[in-house]
mmCIF file of all heavy atoms in Angstrom:
data_model
loop_
_atom_site.group_PDB
_atom_site.id
_atom_site.type_symbol
_atom_site.label_atom_id
_atom_site.label_comp_id
_atom_site.label_asym_id
_atom_site.label_seq_id
_atom_site.Cartn_x
_atom_site.Cartn_y
_atom_site.Cartn_z
ATOM 1 N N ASP A 101 47.151 -61.693 -9.930
ATOM 2 C CA ASP A 101 47.941 -62.111 -11.094
ATOM 3 C C ASP A 101 49.321 -61.437 -11.055
ATOM 4 O O ASP A 101 49.911 -61.313 -9.984
ATOM 5 C CB ASP A 101 47.200 -61.828 -12.377
ATOM 6 C CG ASP A 101 47.645 -62.725 -13.530
ATOM 7 O OD1 ASP A 101 48.561 -63.521 -13.346
ATOM 8 O OD2 ASP A 101 47.035 -62.613 -14.609
ATOM 9 N N TYR A 102 49.908 -61.046 -12.199
ATOM 10 C CA TYR A 102 51.175 -60.320 -12.290
ATOM 11 C C TYR A 102 52.238 -60.991 -11.410
ATOM 12 O O TYR A 102 52.826 -60.402 -10.513
ATOM 13 C CB TYR A 102 50.946 -58.854 -11.909
ATOM 14 C CG TYR A 102 51.889 -57.885 -12.568
ATOM 15 C CD1 TYR A 102 52.030 -57.847 -13.965
ATOM 16 C CD2 TYR A 102 52.604 -56.975 -11.810
ATOM 17 C CE1 TYR A 102 52.881 -56.955 -14.587
ATOM 18 C CE2 TYR A 102 53.473 -56.059 -12.437
ATOM 19 C CZ TYR A 102 53.594 -56.054 -13.806
ATOM 20 O OH TYR A 102 54.429 -55.184 -14.423
ATOM 21 N N VAL A 103 52.480 -62.227 -11.697
ATOM 22 C CA VAL A 103 53.034 -63.171 -10.721
ATOM 23 C C VAL A 103 54.454 -62.803 -10.234
ATOM 24 O O VAL A 103 54.685 -62.782 -9.014
ATOM 25 C CB VAL A 103 52.965 -64.619 -11.261
ATOM 26 C CG1 VAL A 103 53.682 -64.747 -12.587
ATOM 27 C CG2 VAL A 103 53.582 -65.587 -10.249
ATOM 28 N N GLU A 104 55.423 -62.598 -11.126
ATOM 29 C CA GLU A 104 56.761 -62.387 -10.648
ATOM 30 C C GLU A 104 56.888 -61.137 -9.779
ATOM 31 O O GLU A 104 57.548 -61.149 -8.721
ATOM 32 C CB GLU A 104 57.738 -62.316 -11.844
ATOM 33 C CG GLU A 104 57.868 -63.610 -12.611
ATOM 34 C CD GLU A 104 58.411 -64.750 -11.752
ATOM 35 O OE1 GLU A 104 59.082 -64.482 -10.751
ATOM 36 O OE2 GLU A 104 58.146 -65.913 -12.101
ATOM 37 N N PHE A 105 56.275 -60.057 -10.229
ATOM 38 C CA PHE A 105 56.263 -58.840 -9.448
ATOM 39 C C PHE A 105 55.587 -59.061 -8.091
ATOM 40 O O PHE A 105 56.109 -58.730 -7.030
ATOM 41 C CB PHE A 105 55.497 -57.768 -10.247
ATOM 42 C CG PHE A 105 55.422 -56.400 -9.609
ATOM 43 C CD1 PHE A 105 56.318 -55.410 -9.981
ATOM 44 C CD2 PHE A 105 54.471 -56.119 -8.639
ATOM 45 C CE1 PHE A 105 56.250 -54.154 -9.418
ATOM 46 C CE2 PHE A 105 54.397 -54.865 -8.055
ATOM 47 C CZ PHE A 105 55.309 -53.863 -8.444
ATOM 48 N N ASN A 106 54.434 -59.694 -8.109
ATOM 49 C CA ASN A 106 53.643 -59.821 -6.903
ATOM 50 C C ASN A 106 54.258 -60.793 -5.906
ATOM 51 O O ASN A 106 54.095 -60.625 -4.685
ATOM 52 C CB ASN A 106 52.203 -60.238 -7.255
ATOM 53 C CG ASN A 106 51.358 -59.027 -7.574
ATOM 54 O OD1 ASN A 106 51.616 -57.935 -7.129
ATOM 55 N ND2 ASN A 106 50.284 -59.238 -8.335
ATOM 56 N N LEU A 107 54.936 -61.825 -6.344
ATOM 57 C CA LEU A 107 55.586 -62.735 -5.397
ATOM 58 C C LEU A 107 56.746 -62.038 -4.678
ATOM 59 O O LEU A 107 57.006 -62.327 -3.508
ATOM 60 C CB LEU A 107 56.076 -63.977 -6.124
ATOM 61 C CG LEU A 107 54.976 -64.951 -6.586
ATOM 62 C CD1 LEU A 107 55.575 -66.161 -7.291
ATOM 63 C CD2 LEU A 107 54.062 -65.389 -5.434
ATOM 64 N N ARG A 108 57.420 -61.140 -5.370
ATOM 65 C CA ARG A 108 58.448 -60.368 -4.659
ATOM 66 C C ARG A 108 57.818 -59.451 -3.594
ATOM 67 O O ARG A 108 58.389 -59.298 -2.510
ATOM 68 C CB ARG A 108 59.248 -59.532 -5.679
ATOM 69 C CG ARG A 108 60.236 -60.336 -6.505
ATOM 70 C CD ARG A 108 60.813 -59.594 -7.660
ATOM 71 N NE ARG A 108 61.899 -60.293 -8.297
ATOM 72 C CZ ARG A 108 61.744 -61.312 -9.141
ATOM 73 N NH1 ARG A 108 60.514 -61.753 -9.455
ATOM 74 N NH2 ARG A 108 62.790 -61.925 -9.662
ATOM 75 N N LEU A 109 56.716 -58.858 -3.929
ATOM 76 C CA LEU A 109 56.020 -58.005 -2.951
ATOM 77 C C LEU A 109 55.500 -58.860 -1.805
ATOM 78 O O LEU A 109 55.530 -58.431 -0.629
ATOM 79 C CB LEU A 109 54.902 -57.266 -3.640
ATOM 80 C CG LEU A 109 54.241 -56.130 -2.835
ATOM 81 C CD1 LEU A 109 55.251 -55.051 -2.522
ATOM 82 C CD2 LEU A 109 53.084 -55.552 -3.623
ATOM 83 N N ALA A 110 55.030 -60.062 -2.086
ATOM 84 C CA ALA A 110 54.477 -60.937 -1.052
ATOM 85 C C ALA A 110 55.564 -61.300 -0.032
ATOM 86 O O ALA A 110 55.269 -61.395 1.166
ATOM 87 C CB ALA A 110 53.921 -62.200 -1.695
ATOM 88 N N ARG A 111 56.786 -61.484 -0.508
ATOM 89 C CA ARG A 111 57.843 -61.835 0.416
ATOM 90 C C ARG A 111 58.069 -60.744 1.463
ATOM 91 O O ARG A 111 58.275 -61.001 2.644
ATOM 92 C CB ARG A 111 59.150 -62.116 -0.355
ATOM 93 C CG ARG A 111 60.254 -62.698 0.512
ATOM 94 C CD ARG A 111 61.432 -63.210 -0.307
ATOM 95 N NE ARG A 111 61.033 -64.349 -1.132
ATOM 96 C CZ ARG A 111 60.916 -65.591 -0.661
ATOM 97 N NH1 ARG A 111 61.151 -65.846 0.627
ATOM 98 N NH2 ARG A 111 60.580 -66.585 -1.474
ATOM 99 N N THR A 112 58.017 -59.484 0.996
ATOM 100 C CA THR A 112 58.155 -58.385 1.947
ATOM 101 C C THR A 112 56.994 -58.325 2.926
ATOM 102 O O THR A 112 57.189 -58.121 4.121
ATOM 103 C CB THR A 112 58.235 -57.040 1.163
ATOM 104 O OG1 THR A 112 59.385 -57.046 0.323
ATOM 105 C CG2 THR A 112 58.291 -55.841 2.102
ATOM 106 N N ALA A 113 55.778 -58.523 2.409
ATOM 107 C CA ALA A 113 54.614 -58.523 3.279
ATOM 108 C C ALA A 113 54.704 -59.614 4.332
ATOM 109 O O ALA A 113 54.389 -59.410 5.517
ATOM 110 C CB ALA A 113 53.349 -58.684 2.433
ATOM 111 N N LYS A 114 55.127 -60.790 3.903
ATOM 112 C CA LYS A 114 55.228 -61.912 4.822
ATOM 113 C C LYS A 114 56.215 -61.609 5.944
ATOM 114 O O LYS A 114 55.959 -61.904 7.127
ATOM 115 C CB LYS A 114 55.659 -63.158 4.052
ATOM 116 C CG LYS A 114 55.487 -64.453 4.799
ATOM 117 C CD LYS A 114 54.010 -64.805 4.902
ATOM 118 C CE LYS A 114 53.813 -66.197 5.477
ATOM 119 N NZ LYS A 114 52.377 -66.521 5.637
ATOM 120 N N ALA A 115 57.334 -60.964 5.605
ATOM 121 C CA ALA A 115 58.328 -60.606 6.621
ATOM 122 C C ALA A 115 57.778 -59.596 7.612
ATOM 123 O O ALA A 115 58.226 -59.543 8.754
ATOM 124 C CB ALA A 115 59.583 -60.064 5.937
ATOM 125 N N LEU A 116 56.830 -58.782 7.151
ATOM 126 C CA LEU A 116 56.231 -57.765 8.028
ATOM 127 C C LEU A 116 55.022 -58.289 8.791
ATOM 128 O O LEU A 116 54.378 -57.559 9.555
ATOM 129 C CB LEU A 116 55.809 -56.554 7.182
ATOM 130 C CG LEU A 116 56.942 -55.755 6.531
ATOM 131 C CD1 LEU A 116 56.373 -54.743 5.527
ATOM 132 C CD2 LEU A 116 57.780 -55.062 7.577
ATOM 133 N N GLY A 117 54.645 -59.562 8.551
ATOM 134 C CA GLY A 117 53.511 -60.158 9.247
ATOM 135 C C GLY A 117 52.156 -59.764 8.670
ATOM 136 O O GLY A 117 51.143 -59.875 9.337
ATOM 137 N N ILE A 118 52.130 -59.313 7.408
ATOM 138 C CA ILE A 118 50.911 -58.903 6.740
ATOM 139 C C ILE A 118 50.327 -60.123 6.002
ATOM 140 O O ILE A 118 51.036 -60.739 5.180
ATOM 141 C CB ILE A 118 51.173 -57.775 5.753
ATOM 142 C CG1 ILE A 118 51.716 -56.551 6.487
ATOM 143 C CG2 ILE A 118 49.891 -57.411 4.965
ATOM 144 C CD1 ILE A 118 52.307 -55.481 5.558
ATOM 145 N N PRO A 119 49.090 -60.519 6.236
ATOM 146 C CA PRO A 119 48.480 -61.645 5.499
ATOM 147 C C PRO A 119 48.424 -61.368 4.019
ATOM 148 O O PRO A 119 48.192 -60.216 3.583
ATOM 149 C CB PRO A 119 47.067 -61.772 6.118
ATOM 150 C CG PRO A 119 47.107 -60.979 7.358
ATOM 151 C CD PRO A 119 48.156 -59.917 7.219
#
Side-chain angles (χ1 to χ4, degrees):
D101 204 357
Y102 209 53
V103 56
E104 293 299 337
F105 182 98
N106 275 336
L107 289 180
R108 284 170 171 77
L109 191 62
R111 188 168 295 281
T112 297
K114 195 71 172 177
L116 294 170
I118 299 166

